[in-house]
Amino acid sequence: MDESRDMRSRPQALTPGPEIKTTGGVVRGITTHDVHTWRGVPYAAPPVDDLRLRAPQPVVPWEGARDGSRYGPVPIQERIGEFIGAGRHTPMGEDCLTLNVSAPSTPSDEPRPVMVWFYGGAFVVGASSAPTYRGYDVVRRGECLLVTVNYRLGALGYLDFSGYGTPERPIESNLGLRDQIAALEWVRDNIAAFGGDPGQVTVFGESAGAISVTTLMATPAAHGLFHRAIAESSAPGMVFGQERARGWAAGFVSALGADDDPLRGLTTATPDELLAAARILRETIGDQPGTIPTAPVVDGDLLPESPLDAFEGGRAVDVPLIIGTNDTEGRLFELPRMRMDVLVSEERASQMFALTQPELRDQVLAAYEGTAHRKDLGGDYMFWYPSVRVMQAHRGPVWAYRYDLTTPVLNLMGVRATHGMELYAVFGLVDSGAARVLTALGGRRHLRALSERIQADWVHFARHGTPAGHWPTYDTDTRLTKIFDRTDRVESDPRRERRLAWQGFRGYD
């Protein structure tokens, strides 16, 4: 990886940047591409040894100026590539609770708005250091600050082992969610020193990061820590009850070989042993299609109810919200190494309905059978329809979108505007290696133009609380939705027939 490469600029050298005093101590930044950046800044104590599986604790102060030129270790995860998480040589470890701050190098008389990014990856992979999320374009264009946050993943962040804790050695639930809240508290307390406005914070994320956004909106402890929200391809229903979550935790303990002494096994297992047990768990939950065991849990403590219930009951925080999905979300998961069978198998979809609301099975399947949208059933189940439920229930202003831009290569692959494709536009990755492959047969000019427009909307929203372009708010009378494509347009109640077919579906508890 070339640390100095910006996706739209020629390579530039890294030069020393300003020193900033934080609650932990002084951090020395670097400057590149007209952006000051401070990398690997701790926002909590290392969650290691006695702090493994514990809620994040206050940052440990350091002496002298900390080097902010290097990213902190990525959370424990499988090494599947640097694009979103960990490549072969990426440093990895449990001491991962760090964040990165980027700001324009030009001075400003006024505090700048702050955008806080939570990465995706099904809560099992991802890292704030991934090249995808550098965000130099966003910072320069928006005259804003960008904060990208590491949070714990997999067993260490999203399995509910709280039932195995003791008074002497407690274990908290929702550790990854607690990490995100701790990072937002750090932003509140420190971002002014970097030139940011702690009263003008936008949280945004994609996939698991967007689930994080909609979950934080339903988490009372997070209320007041952010003022706007953007959810790109959230799956708001991928939050489960404690009974189900503790069943998954028990399965993990068995896979770890720790049934005789779960607490000791969980607190002493090596990272490789934890990852191996997680692989076994994923292979043994086939009787619950359409779920992910690593996800936030309704614990009655930090998260008192499911986000969808909170939205529909008017108890989610009523900040302005941009929320949307991509045209063919589920088709990414037909690819060999991405396959999620509930999204592509009619048999598994039928099993999912049998475990949730069997009375709706025929009604929903009838909207897809014999149509060009048959392959989109799973993506609609996981991402689109639950996002519609948020759109129609949220008490604050809502701007709804669908991302439709595709390329000839994506069309040949059969995935079109599938899950994650909007990231190229949001982060200005038009000239990245992956984008060059995806536009090898055409489409780069359209992607570049859309990137200009979507970034303008996102940063205007962060600064003013409204998108930049023509984009009416969403309501249940007109359901006006912006379609991002070669030429943007606004449609009323797109996919009405499919929406009505899903109406009343609530999913797993």
Side-chain angles (χ1 to χ4, degrees):
M1 176 183 63
D2 181 358
E3 284 282 341
S4 65
R5 181 175 174 79
D6 179 46
M7 295 305 183
R8 289 192 185 174
S9 307
R10 295 177 181 177
Q12 297 185 18
L14 305 179
T15 59
E19 293 187 354
I20 301 292
K21 182 174 176 55
T22 72
T23 48
V26 174
V27 183
R28 182 188 306 112
I30 57 173
T31 303
T32 182
H33 303 96
D34 302 320
V35 170
H36 295 319
T37 184
W38 298 264
R39 300 171 175 175
V41 183
Y43 65 84
V48 301
D49 301 327
D50 289 343
L51 295 184
R52 177 189 272 190
L53 299 177
R54 295 301 315 276
Q57 300 298 305
V59 67
V60 178
W62 58 86
E63 298 291 334
R66 183 184 179 96
D67 178 15
S69 67
R70 296 181 180 276
Y71 294 101
V74 306
I76 300 298
Q77 61 191 275
E78 301 285 356
R79 293 188 180 274
I80 65 168
E82 253 184 335
F83 185 74
I84 61 169
R88 178 182 297 180
H89 303 295
T90 306
M92 182 187 298
E94 292 184 62
D95 181 4
C96 62
L97 298 187
T98 62
L99 50 75
N100 318 297
V101 181
S102 294
S105 60
T106 54
S108 173
D109 293 334
E110 299 291 334
R112 289 172 161 125
V114 183
M115 301 184 73
V116 179
W117 174 258
F118 297 117
Y119 48 75
F123 298 112
V124 292
V125 296
S128 65
S129 57
T132 309
Y133 313 133
R134 295 289 156 82
Y136 299 141
D137 268 0
V138 176
V139 172
R140 288 194 303 260
R141 179 185 307 281
E143 277 291 301
C144 64
L145 274 66
L146 175 65
V147 179
T148 58
V149 178
N150 271 357
Y151 58 91
R152 281 173 282 183
L153 298 168
L156 295 176
Y158 283 95
L159 283 177
D160 182 10
F161 298 120
S162 58
Y164 299 112
T166 67
E168 297 74 27
R169 181 48 166 99
I171 295 175
E172 285 84 20
S173 56
N174 282 315
L175 296 171
L177 185 63
R178 293 177 192 271
D179 293 344
Q180 293 166 351
I181 294 170
L184 290 170
E185 291 172 339
W186 185 97
V187 169
R188 177 197 62 198
D189 297 339
N190 291 276
I191 205 65
F194 295 83
D197 184 350
Q200 202 172 15
V201 175
T202 298
V203 291
F204 71 133
E206 182 267 344
S207 193
I211 300 173
S212 300
V213 168
T214 49
T215 303
L216 287 165
M217 293 178 73
T219 304
H223 294 178
L225 296 176
F226 58 93
H227 313 92
R228 290 152 198 155
I230 303 173
E232 303 170 24
S233 301
S234 183
M238 292 295 107
V239 178
F240 302 99
Q242 198 162 44
E243 181 179 353
R244 188 180 306 277
R246 288 190 169 176
W248 289 330
F252 181 92
V253 167
S254 293
L256 192 62
D259 284 317
D260 291 341
D261 192 346
L263 181 59
R264 183 177 184 279
L266 291 168
T267 55
T268 62
T270 67
D272 285 344
E273 289 169 339
L274 294 172
L275 290 173
R279 286 192 292 270
I280 295 171
L281 176 64
R282 287 196 298 271
E283 294 168 358
T284 57
I285 62 164
D287 60 340
Q288 301 175 62
T291 62
I292 53 174
T294 49
V297 55
V298 178
D299 56 10
D301 175 22
L302 185 71
L303 187 58
E305 60 184 329
S306 77
L308 287 171
D309 285 345
F311 277 102
E312 292 172 347
R315 292 177 292 277
V317 64
D318 60 354
V319 299
L321 171 66
I322 290 176
I323 182 169
T325 56
N326 294 356
D327 182 33
T328 52
E329 287 280 0
R331 298 194 186 190
L332 176 70
F333 304 102
E334 293 182 324
L335 299 179
R337 295 187 63 184
M338 301 294 296
R339 189 174 177 87
M340 294 176 64
D341 61 357
V342 72
L343 300 183
V344 297
S345 162
E346 186 165 330
E347 177 185 352
R348 302 289 280 158
S350 295
Q351 186 179 358
M352 180 271 293
F353 279 110
L355 294 170
T356 54
Q357 290 169 270
E359 70 277 9
L360 293 180
R361 175 191 177 278
D362 292 343
Q363 171 182 307
V364 173
L365 293 183
Y368 295 86
E369 290 172 349
T371 75
H373 309 299
R374 173 61 192 89
K375 292 183 178 181
D376 298 317
L377 170 66
D380 286 0
Y381 152 74
M382 184 169 284
F383 302 103
W384 173 68
Y385 182 67
S387 292
V388 169
R389 288 178 62 185
V390 171
M391 295 171 193
Q392 64 192 20
H394 185 46
R395 299 297 176 91
V398 176
W399 290 268
Y401 78 85
R402 193 179 76 215
Y403 184 91
D404 279 19
L405 185 70
T406 185
T407 70
V409 169
L410 290 169
N411 292 339
L412 286 172
M413 293 171 64
V415 297
R416 294 171 43 198
T418 193
H419 191 67
M421 290 301 106
E422 90 290 350
L423 290 173
Y424 293 96
V426 169
F427 283 98
L429 306 177
V430 181
D431 295 320
S432 66
R436 289 180 179 276
V437 171
L438 296 178
T439 59
L441 300 179
R444 190 174 306 157
R445 176 172 60 87
H446 297 294
L447 177 59
R448 190 181 304 281
L450 179 53
S451 180
E452 299 275 348
R453 299 194 303 274
I454 205 168
Q455 284 189 348
D457 278 329
W458 266 220
V459 297
H460 192 279
F461 180 78
R463 182 172 291 277
H464 302 289
T466 62
H470 171 62
W471 191 347
T473 54
Y474 186 95
D475 61 55
T476 54
D477 292 328
T478 61
R479 299 182 184 270
L480 294 175
T481 302
K482 187 166 188 175
I483 312 299
F484 288 111
D485 207 338
R486 292 187 176 193
T487 300
D488 299 340
R489 63 190 186 276
V490 174
E491 292 187 5
S492 176
D493 201 5
R495 299 177 175 170
R496 179 176 183 274
E497 294 77 12
R498 284 149 73 177
R499 177 181 63 80
L500 292 175
W502 282 99
Q503 193 164 289
F505 180 78
R506 302 196 62 80
Y508 289 95
D509 57 20

Short mmCIF file of all heavy atoms in Angstrom, two decimals, residues 426-463:
data_model
loop_
_atom_site.label_atom_id
_atom_site.label_comp_id
_atom_site.label_asym_id
_atom_site.label_seq_id
_atom_site.Cartn_x
_atom_site.Cartn_y
_atom_site.Cartn_z
N VAL A 426 -18.89 8.02 -2.46
CA VAL A 426 -18.86 8.77 -1.21
C VAL A 426 -17.44 9.19 -0.85
O VAL A 426 -17.19 10.32 -0.41
CB VAL A 426 -19.49 7.94 -0.07
CG1 VAL A 426 -19.24 8.59 1.29
CG2 VAL A 426 -20.99 7.80 -0.29
N PHE A 427 -16.47 8.29 -1.04
CA PHE A 427 -15.09 8.58 -0.66
C PHE A 427 -14.21 9.00 -1.84
O PHE A 427 -13.00 9.12 -1.68
CB PHE A 427 -14.48 7.39 0.08
CG PHE A 427 -14.96 7.29 1.50
CD1 PHE A 427 -15.99 6.44 1.84
CD2 PHE A 427 -14.39 8.07 2.49
CE1 PHE A 427 -16.45 6.36 3.16
CE2 PHE A 427 -14.83 8.01 3.80
CZ PHE A 427 -15.86 7.15 4.14
N GLY A 428 -14.81 9.22 -3.01
CA GLY A 428 -14.03 9.72 -4.14
C GLY A 428 -12.98 8.74 -4.63
O GLY A 428 -11.88 9.14 -5.00
N LEU A 429 -13.33 7.45 -4.68
CA LEU A 429 -12.36 6.42 -5.05
C LEU A 429 -12.36 6.15 -6.55
O LEU A 429 -12.10 5.03 -6.99
CB LEU A 429 -12.67 5.12 -4.30
CG LEU A 429 -12.78 5.25 -2.78
CD1 LEU A 429 -13.17 3.91 -2.16
CD2 LEU A 429 -11.47 5.74 -2.18
N VAL A 430 -12.63 7.17 -7.34
CA VAL A 430 -12.81 6.99 -8.78
C VAL A 430 -11.56 6.47 -9.45
O VAL A 430 -11.64 5.70 -10.42
CB VAL A 430 -13.27 8.33 -9.40
CG1 VAL A 430 -13.48 8.16 -10.90
CG2 VAL A 430 -14.54 8.81 -8.74
N ASP A 431 -10.39 6.87 -8.98
CA ASP A 431 -9.14 6.47 -9.60
C ASP A 431 -8.42 5.37 -8.84
O ASP A 431 -7.24 5.10 -9.10
CB ASP A 431 -8.22 7.69 -9.76
CG ASP A 431 -8.79 8.72 -10.71
OD1 ASP A 431 -9.35 8.31 -11.74
OD2 ASP A 431 -8.70 9.93 -10.40
N SER A 432 -9.11 4.74 -7.90
CA SER A 432 -8.50 3.61 -7.19
C SER A 432 -8.36 2.42 -8.13
O SER A 432 -9.01 2.34 -9.18
CB SER A 432 -9.37 3.22 -5.98
OG SER A 432 -10.61 2.71 -6.42
N GLY A 433 -7.52 1.47 -7.75
CA GLY A 433 -7.34 0.29 -8.58
C GLY A 433 -8.62 -0.48 -8.79
O GLY A 433 -8.93 -0.92 -9.91
N ALA A 434 -9.41 -0.65 -7.72
CA ALA A 434 -10.66 -1.39 -7.84
C ALA A 434 -11.63 -0.67 -8.76
O ALA A 434 -12.31 -1.29 -9.59
CB ALA A 434 -11.28 -1.60 -6.47
N ALA A 435 -11.72 0.66 -8.63
CA ALA A 435 -12.64 1.41 -9.49
C ALA A 435 -12.22 1.34 -10.94
O ALA A 435 -13.06 1.29 -11.85
CB ALA A 435 -12.72 2.86 -9.02
N ARG A 436 -10.92 1.32 -11.20
CA ARG A 436 -10.44 1.20 -12.58
C ARG A 436 -10.86 -0.14 -13.19
O ARG A 436 -11.20 -0.22 -14.37
CB ARG A 436 -8.92 1.38 -12.64
CG ARG A 436 -8.48 2.81 -12.39
CD ARG A 436 -6.96 2.96 -12.46
NE ARG A 436 -6.57 4.33 -12.24
CZ ARG A 436 -6.54 5.28 -13.19
NH1 ARG A 436 -6.90 4.95 -14.43
NH2 ARG A 436 -6.16 6.50 -12.91
N VAL A 437 -10.81 -1.18 -12.38
CA VAL A 437 -11.27 -2.48 -12.89
C VAL A 437 -12.77 -2.44 -13.16
O VAL A 437 -13.24 -2.88 -14.22
CB VAL A 437 -10.95 -3.59 -11.86
CG1 VAL A 437 -11.61 -4.90 -12.26
CG2 VAL A 437 -9.44 -3.78 -11.75
N LEU A 438 -13.54 -1.88 -12.24
CA LEU A 438 -14.99 -1.88 -12.39
C LEU A 438 -15.47 -0.94 -13.50
O LEU A 438 -16.59 -1.08 -13.97
CB LEU A 438 -15.65 -1.49 -11.07
CG LEU A 438 -15.43 -2.47 -9.91
CD1 LEU A 438 -16.09 -1.95 -8.64
CD2 LEU A 438 -15.96 -3.86 -10.26
N THR A 439 -14.61 -0.01 -13.91
CA THR A 439 -14.97 0.89 -15.01
C THR A 439 -14.13 0.64 -16.25
O THR A 439 -14.06 1.49 -17.14
CB THR A 439 -14.82 2.36 -14.56
OG1 THR A 439 -13.46 2.60 -14.16
CG2 THR A 439 -15.76 2.69 -13.41
N ALA A 440 -13.50 -0.53 -16.33
CA ALA A 440 -12.60 -0.82 -17.46
C ALA A 440 -13.33 -0.80 -18.80
O ALA A 440 -12.73 -0.49 -19.83
CB ALA A 440 -11.92 -2.18 -17.25
N LEU A 441 -14.61 -1.11 -18.81
CA LEU A 441 -15.40 -1.11 -20.04
C LEU A 441 -16.28 0.14 -20.16
O LEU A 441 -17.16 0.20 -21.02
CB LEU A 441 -16.27 -2.37 -20.11
CG LEU A 441 -15.52 -3.70 -20.09
CD1 LEU A 441 -16.49 -4.87 -20.13
CD2 LEU A 441 -14.53 -3.78 -21.24
N GLY A 442 -16.03 1.11 -19.30
CA GLY A 442 -16.82 2.34 -19.35
C GLY A 442 -17.47 2.65 -18.03
O GLY A 442 -17.61 1.78 -17.16
N GLY A 443 -17.86 3.90 -17.87
CA GLY A 443 -18.59 4.32 -16.68
C GLY A 443 -17.83 5.19 -15.72
O GLY A 443 -18.41 5.72 -14.77
N ARG A 444 -16.51 5.39 -15.94
CA ARG A 444 -15.74 6.16 -14.97
C ARG A 444 -16.18 7.62 -14.95
O ARG A 444 -16.23 8.27 -13.90
CB ARG A 444 -14.25 6.06 -15.23
CG ARG A 444 -13.40 6.65 -14.10
CD ARG A 444 -11.93 6.42 -14.31
NE ARG A 444 -11.68 5.00 -14.51
CZ ARG A 444 -10.61 4.52 -15.14
NH1 ARG A 444 -9.71 5.35 -15.61
NH2 ARG A 444 -10.44 3.23 -15.29
N ARG A 445 -16.49 8.19 -16.11
CA ARG A 445 -16.92 9.59 -16.16
C ARG A 445 -18.21 9.77 -15.36
O ARG A 445 -18.35 10.75 -14.62
CB ARG A 445 -17.13 9.99 -17.61
CG ARG A 445 -17.67 11.41 -17.79
CD ARG A 445 -17.66 11.81 -19.25
NE ARG A 445 -18.48 10.92 -20.06
CZ ARG A 445 -19.78 11.07 -20.26
NH1 ARG A 445 -20.43 12.09 -19.65
NH2 ARG A 445 -20.47 10.25 -21.02
N HIS A 446 -19.13 8.83 -15.48
CA HIS A 446 -20.38 8.93 -14.72
C HIS A 446 -20.13 8.76 -13.23
O HIS A 446 -20.77 9.43 -12.40
CB HIS A 446 -21.38 7.89 -15.22
CG HIS A 446 -21.77 8.07 -16.65
ND1 HIS A 446 -22.49 9.17 -17.09
CD2 HIS A 446 -21.55 7.30 -17.75
CE1 HIS A 446 -22.69 9.06 -18.39
NE2 HIS A 446 -22.13 7.95 -18.82
N LEU A 447 -19.21 7.85 -12.87
CA LEU A 447 -18.89 7.67 -11.45
C LEU A 447 -18.26 8.92 -10.88
O LEU A 447 -18.60 9.34 -9.76
CB LEU A 447 -17.95 6.47 -11.29
CG LEU A 447 -17.47 6.18 -9.86
CD1 LEU A 447 -18.64 5.93 -8.92
CD2 LEU A 447 -16.50 4.99 -9.85
N ARG A 448 -17.37 9.54 -11.64
CA ARG A 448 -16.73 10.76 -11.15
C ARG A 448 -17.76 11.87 -10.93
O ARG A 448 -17.74 12.57 -9.92
CB ARG A 448 -15.65 11.23 -12.13
CG ARG A 448 -14.77 12.35 -11.58
CD ARG A 448 -13.73 12.81 -12.59
NE ARG A 448 -12.90 11.74 -13.07
CZ ARG A 448 -11.87 11.22 -12.40
NH1 ARG A 448 -11.59 11.69 -11.19
NH2 ARG A 448 -11.15 10.24 -12.92
N ALA A 449 -18.67 12.02 -11.90
CA ALA A 449 -19.68 13.08 -11.77
C ALA A 449 -20.61 12.80 -10.58
O ALA A 449 -20.96 13.72 -9.83
CB ALA A 449 -20.49 13.17 -13.06
N LEU A 450 -20.99 11.53 -10.39
CA LEU A 450 -21.85 11.20 -9.26
C LEU A 450 -21.12 11.40 -7.94
O LEU A 450 -21.71 11.85 -6.95
CB LEU A 450 -22.37 9.77 -9.38
CG LEU A 450 -23.28 9.31 -8.23
CD1 LEU A 450 -24.44 10.28 -8.01
CD2 LEU A 450 -23.82 7.91 -8.48
N SER A 451 -19.83 11.09 -7.92
CA SER A 451 -19.05 11.31 -6.70
C SER A 451 -19.08 12.78 -6.31
O SER A 451 -19.24 13.12 -5.13
CB SER A 451 -17.61 10.84 -6.90
OG SER A 451 -16.85 11.04 -5.73
N GLU A 452 -18.95 13.66 -7.30
CA GLU A 452 -19.03 15.10 -7.01
C GLU A 452 -20.37 15.44 -6.38
O GLU A 452 -20.45 16.19 -5.39
CB GLU A 452 -18.85 15.90 -8.31
CG GLU A 452 -17.52 15.69 -9.02
CD GLU A 452 -16.42 16.57 -8.48
OE1 GLU A 452 -16.75 17.51 -7.72
OE2 GLU A 452 -15.25 16.33 -8.82
N ARG A 453 -21.45 14.88 -6.92
CA ARG A 453 -22.79 15.24 -6.44
C ARG A 453 -23.08 14.65 -5.07
O ARG A 453 -23.63 15.33 -4.19
CB ARG A 453 -23.86 14.78 -7.45
CG ARG A 453 -23.72 15.39 -8.83
CD ARG A 453 -24.96 15.19 -9.68
NE ARG A 453 -25.37 13.80 -9.85
CZ ARG A 453 -24.91 12.98 -10.79
NH1 ARG A 453 -23.98 13.41 -11.65
NH2 ARG A 453 -25.36 11.74 -10.88
N ILE A 454 -22.71 13.39 -4.88
CA ILE A 454 -23.07 12.74 -3.61
C ILE A 454 -22.21 13.30 -2.47
O ILE A 454 -22.69 13.49 -1.35
CB ILE A 454 -22.96 11.21 -3.74
CG1 ILE A 454 -23.87 10.52 -2.72
CG2 ILE A 454 -21.55 10.70 -3.59
CD1 ILE A 454 -24.06 9.03 -2.97
N GLN A 455 -20.94 13.62 -2.75
CA GLN A 455 -20.13 14.25 -1.71
C GLN A 455 -20.68 15.62 -1.36
O GLN A 455 -20.69 16.01 -0.19
CB GLN A 455 -18.68 14.36 -2.17
CG GLN A 455 -17.91 13.06 -2.13
CD GLN A 455 -16.42 13.26 -2.38
OE1 GLN A 455 -15.98 14.33 -2.80
NE2 GLN A 455 -15.64 12.22 -2.13
N ALA A 456 -21.16 16.35 -2.37
CA ALA A 456 -21.76 17.66 -2.09
C ALA A 456 -22.96 17.52 -1.17
O ALA A 456 -23.15 18.32 -0.23
CB ALA A 456 -22.15 18.34 -3.39
N ASP A 457 -23.79 16.49 -1.41
CA ASP A 457 -24.95 16.27 -0.55
C ASP A 457 -24.52 15.91 0.87
O ASP A 457 -25.06 16.43 1.85
CB ASP A 457 -25.83 15.16 -1.12
CG ASP A 457 -26.77 15.64 -2.21
OD1 ASP A 457 -27.20 16.81 -2.15
OD2 ASP A 457 -27.09 14.85 -3.12
N TRP A 458 -23.56 15.00 0.99
CA TRP A 458 -23.15 14.51 2.31
C TRP A 458 -22.54 15.64 3.15
O TRP A 458 -22.87 15.81 4.32
CB TRP A 458 -22.17 13.36 2.16
CG TRP A 458 -22.71 11.96 2.17
CD1 TRP A 458 -22.13 10.89 2.80
CD2 TRP A 458 -23.88 11.43 1.52
NE1 TRP A 458 -22.86 9.74 2.58
CE2 TRP A 458 -23.94 10.05 1.79
CE3 TRP A 458 -24.87 11.99 0.74
CZ2 TRP A 458 -24.96 9.22 1.32
CZ3 TRP A 458 -25.89 11.18 0.25
CH2 TRP A 458 -25.93 9.82 0.55
N VAL A 459 -21.63 16.42 2.55
CA VAL A 459 -20.94 17.44 3.35
C VAL A 459 -21.85 18.64 3.61
O VAL A 459 -21.76 19.28 4.67
CB VAL A 459 -19.61 17.86 2.70
CG1 VAL A 459 -18.66 16.68 2.62
CG2 VAL A 459 -19.82 18.50 1.34
N HIS A 460 -22.76 18.96 2.70
CA HIS A 460 -23.73 20.02 2.96
C HIS A 460 -24.64 19.60 4.12
O HIS A 460 -24.98 20.42 4.99
CB HIS A 460 -24.55 20.30 1.70
CG HIS A 460 -25.37 21.55 1.76
ND1 HIS A 460 -26.60 21.62 2.39
CD2 HIS A 460 -25.14 22.80 1.27
CE1 HIS A 460 -27.09 22.83 2.28
NE2 HIS A 460 -26.23 23.59 1.61
N PHE A 461 -25.02 18.34 4.14
CA PHE A 461 -25.83 17.82 5.24
C PHE A 461 -25.06 17.93 6.56
O PHE A 461 -25.64 18.32 7.59
CB PHE A 461 -26.18 16.36 4.94
CG PHE A 461 -27.01 15.69 5.99
CD1 PHE A 461 -28.38 15.93 6.08
CD2 PHE A 461 -26.45 14.78 6.87
CE1 PHE A 461 -29.15 15.30 7.04
CE2 PHE A 461 -27.21 14.14 7.83
CZ PHE A 461 -28.57 14.40 7.92
N ALA A 462 -23.77 17.59 6.55
CA ALA A 462 -22.98 17.68 7.77
C ALA A 462 -22.86 19.12 8.26
O ALA A 462 -22.83 19.38 9.47
CB ALA A 462 -21.59 17.09 7.54
N ARG A 463 -22.82 20.05 7.33
CA ARG A 463 -22.66 21.46 7.70
C ARG A 463 -23.98 22.13 8.04
O ARG A 463 -24.07 22.93 8.97
CB ARG A 463 -21.96 22.21 6.57
CG ARG A 463 -21.69 23.67 6.85
CD ARG A 463 -20.82 24.29 5.77
NE ARG A 463 -19.47 23.77 5.82
CZ ARG A 463 -18.51 24.21 6.65
NH1 ARG A 463 -18.80 25.20 7.49
NH2 ARG A 463 -17.31 23.69 6.63
#
